């Protein structure tokens, strides 16, 4: 079974600084997708960034980028120039290619200090 | 953009009663919707996949008779928690996909269910 592990229950960062959230996953498949979702206090799940496993290039979305290490099965999220609005729970997630199911990690609570 | 609406956002019910939660795709048709459950400070756990016009597919350990799912149209899926008990108190979130199988999921705002 596929599993997603987030080893950092909580992280904090100063406003305008950079923070990296860790995620590892376990799968024997070659075709899959990885995601980072943000869940602010409103509880709305918001897609931050997505990575296709077949792509070697790391995905980026403005201040958000990932470090995808396929051999190591690692998928970390880097948030640059952190803003107060970035404070939220961040969930790493995996889905098998062709499947619509998402498997989530346990989440990392990010605090942004002014 | 694509929006998923979930209603109600909060509901309190007495033990033994049933509660229905609606999930609507507002500006797109969703043949498949997903229902998740999230315990406090926990991750989202997939409960079931709701398929329009057919029976839902439940994950292992989820009681079909307890959590009734109906996907009667391409824009509406409902989750009914039957004979609710305090241990059913949780946060329930639905999601739907807009586009092909590898397009991102869109999530509803969730429903906080409290059973007294």
């Amino acid at each position: 079974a596929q599993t997603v592990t987030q080893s950092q229950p909580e992280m904090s960062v100063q406003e305008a600084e950079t923070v990296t959230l860790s995620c590892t996953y376990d799968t024997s498949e070659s075709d899959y997708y990885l995601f980072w979702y943000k869940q602010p206090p409103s509880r709305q799940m918001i897609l931050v960034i997505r990575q296709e496993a077949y792509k070697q290039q790391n995905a980026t979305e403005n201040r958000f980028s990932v470090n995808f290490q396929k051999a190591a099965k690692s998928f970390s999220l880097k948030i640059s120039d952190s803003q107060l609005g970035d404070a939220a729970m961040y969930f790493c997630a995996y889905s098998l290619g062709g499947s619509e199911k998402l498997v989530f990690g346990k989440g990392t609570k990010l605090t942004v200090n002014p | 953009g694509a929006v998923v609406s979930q209603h109600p956002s909060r509901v309190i019910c007495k033990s033994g009663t049933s509660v229905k939660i609606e999930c609507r795709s507002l500006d797109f048709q969703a043949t498949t919707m997903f229902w998740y459950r999230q315990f406090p400070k926990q991750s989202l756990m997939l409960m079931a996949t709701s398929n329009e016009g057919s029976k839902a597919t439940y994950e292992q350990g989820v009681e079909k008779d307890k959590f009734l799912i109906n996907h009667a149209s391409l824009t509406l899926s409902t989750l009914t928690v039957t004979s609710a008990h305090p241990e059913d108190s949780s946060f329930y979130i639905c999601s739907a996909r807009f586009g092909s199988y590898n397009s991102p999921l869109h999530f509803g705002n969730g429903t906080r269910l409290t059973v007294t």
Side-chain angles (χ1 to χ4, degrees):
Chain A
Q2 291 80 20
T3 58
V4 177
T5 302
Q6 293 178 249
S7 59
Q8 306 153 316
E10 296 187 23
M11 290 282 285
S12 63
V13 63
Q14 289 297 124
E15 194 174 4
E17 296 293 310
T18 296
V19 64
T20 298
L21 308 184
S22 301
C23 173
T24 59
Y25 59 95
D26 184 23
T27 183
S28 58
E29 305 293 336
S30 59
D31 179 22
Y32 54 89
Y33 297 82
L34 296 164
F35 308 83
W36 278 99
Y37 278 88
K38 169 184 177 181
Q39 188 180 42
S42 67
R43 307 299 293 271
Q44 173 78 53
M45 293 289 285
I46 301 167
L47 177 65
V48 175
I49 201 164
R50 184 176 85 147
Q51 174 82 43
E52 292 90 340
Y54 64 85
K55 289 187 177 180
Q56 293 185 332
Q57 187 173 7
N58 289 324
T60 62
E61 285 289 343
N62 301 314
R63 297 183 294 108
F64 299 87
S65 62
V66 298
N67 183 4
F68 175 45
Q69 301 290 327
K70 190 171 184 178
K73 297 180 182 175
S74 171
F75 183 62
S76 61
L77 173 70
K78 185 171 82 171
I79 306 174
S80 304
D81 186 24
S82 297
Q83 300 176 1
L84 295 177
D86 295 333
M89 283 291 291
Y90 285 82
F91 291 97
C92 179
Y94 163 102
S95 76
L96 186 61
S99 167
E100 298 180 303
K101 296 181 182 180
L102 276 176
V103 176
F104 286 90
K106 291 191 174 184
T108 296
K109 181 179 180 181
L110 178 66
T111 301
V112 181
N113 300 310
Chain B
V3 176
V4 175
S5 174
Q6 196 170 332
H7 178 80
S9 58
R10 290 177 177 269
V11 58
I12 301 172
C13 70
K14 292 186 176 181
S15 186
T17 62
S18 295
V19 174
K20 181 184 287 187
I21 303 170
E22 293 185 347
C23 179
R24 294 181 183 273
S25 56
L26 294 185
D27 52 4
F28 66 99
Q29 293 181 333
T31 55
T32 305
M33 292 184 177
F34 305 90
W35 288 96
Y36 290 85
R37 183 173 181 176
Q38 186 179 28
F39 290 103
K41 299 183 180 181
Q42 297 283 326
S43 186
L44 281 73
M45 300 297 295
L46 180 64
M47 298 175 64
T49 302
S50 173
N51 305 297
E52 188 270 334
S54 64
K55 292 183 179 180
T57 305
Y58 290 83
E59 294 300 302
Q60 190 174 7
V62 178
E63 299 176 59
K64 300 178 183 181
D65 296 332
K66 175 74 170 174
F67 299 100
L68 299 179
I69 292 173
N70 185 8
H71 196 151
S73 77
L74 286 170
T75 58
L76 174 64
S77 174
T78 59
L79 168 68
T80 301
V81 183
T82 62
S83 187
H85 289 100
E87 57 264 32
D88 298 326
S89 298
S90 189
F91 192 69
Y92 294 87
I93 310 176
C94 71
S95 68
R97 190 178 304 279
F98 173 57
S100 63
Y101 76 92
N102 61 351
S103 56
L105 284 174
H106 296 274
F107 286 82
N109 285 341
T111 297
R112 164 69 63 196
L113 170 63
T114 303
V115 184
T116 60

